[in-house]
Amino acid sequence: MHANQIARGGMMTGVSVALLYIATFLSIASWAACMLIGFIPELFFLTGQKKTGYLVYAATSVLSLFLLPDKVIAVLYAGLFGLYTVLRFLFERIPSRVLRWVCKLIFGNIWVLIVLWCIRTGFLPNFPIQSDFTALIVFIAGNLILIYYDLCLSRIFPGLRGLAQRLQNNSFK
């Protein structure tokens, strides 16, 4: 790993943590901000700098867990949006399209089940679920959101390739 890669990774980690800190004050838009900040490690994956992408994700996750006043935002980035970007990069290397989607759906369903468990036990009191039918709707909606999010990412990431190349070539002037 070169010094310029480390410097770029450090800058993008700082930007990510600062944006996550701002996102803690945005109430409902904080989830959207987490999704967008989850794209930042992908800039390094697109240019073949896998180690830097992993380190940006890991450093942003750890720093946000320590520094952010709203730990829900930090957990959303560290455990869902940032992690999904990293795992998606690994899943895309699987040759079978069906196996790729199985892995993605397993990850998504684990998160939906964790959210349903948190709602049922009272960790998320803002989302009361009274019946099993409502839980089923949340489960189905979570899967649909995951599929839509992945399809959007498959369109967004190739568009980010030019930005990632400019970042690597120092052509931000």
Side-chain angles (χ1 to χ4, degrees):
M1 190 178 298
H2 296 38
N4 60 357
Q5 288 178 337
I6 295 170
R8 283 190 197 105
M11 287 188 314
M12 295 311 277
T13 299
V15 167
S16 298
V17 173
L19 290 174
L20 284 170
Y21 186 81
I22 292 169
T24 60
F25 302 109
L26 297 177
S27 68
I28 198 157
S30 60
W31 289 58
C34 273
M35 284 193 272
L36 292 175
I37 296 164
F39 295 165
I40 291 176
E42 182 67 23
L43 294 173
F44 295 98
F45 295 142
L46 289 172
T47 58
Q49 301 172 2
K50 295 185 302 188
K51 289 180 187 176
T52 307
Y54 294 138
L55 289 174
V56 166
Y57 162 70
T60 301
S61 298
V62 170
L63 286 173
S64 65
L65 287 170
F66 284 125
L67 299 176
L68 295 185
D70 186 4
K71 301 303 181 201
V72 172
I73 301 300
V75 170
L76 278 174
Y77 175 80
L80 183 60
F81 297 118
L83 180 62
Y84 185 73
T85 302
V86 171
L87 290 178
R88 186 179 185 282
F89 172 72
L90 296 173
F91 293 157
E92 291 300 319
R93 298 174 146 205
I94 298 172
S96 168
R97 177 175 268 186
V98 172
L99 190 56
R100 267 185 269 167
W101 274 103
V102 166
C103 292
K104 292 174 186 179
L105 288 172
I106 287 172
F107 174 77
N109 284 322
I110 288 171
W111 261 98
V112 170
L113 291 174
I114 289 171
V115 167
L116 285 173
W117 178 78
C118 288
I119 291 170
R120 292 269 182 178
T121 58
F123 287 125
L124 296 174
N126 297 336
F127 304 102
I129 291 183
Q130 302 297 330
S131 69
D132 291 335
F133 180 72
T134 310
L136 179 65
I137 290 174
V138 169
F139 188 77
I140 292 170
N143 280 297
L144 292 175
I145 289 169
L146 171 76
I147 292 168
Y148 179 73
Y149 184 61
D150 190 82
L151 292 174
C152 288
L153 290 180
S154 66
R155 299 283 185 193
I156 290 170
F157 286 161
L160 287 176
R161 191 172 306 277
L163 178 65
Q165 291 297 330
R166 282 186 282 165
L167 179 69
Q168 184 180 15
N169 296 330
N170 290 327
S171 63
F172 283 115
K173 295 179 182 174

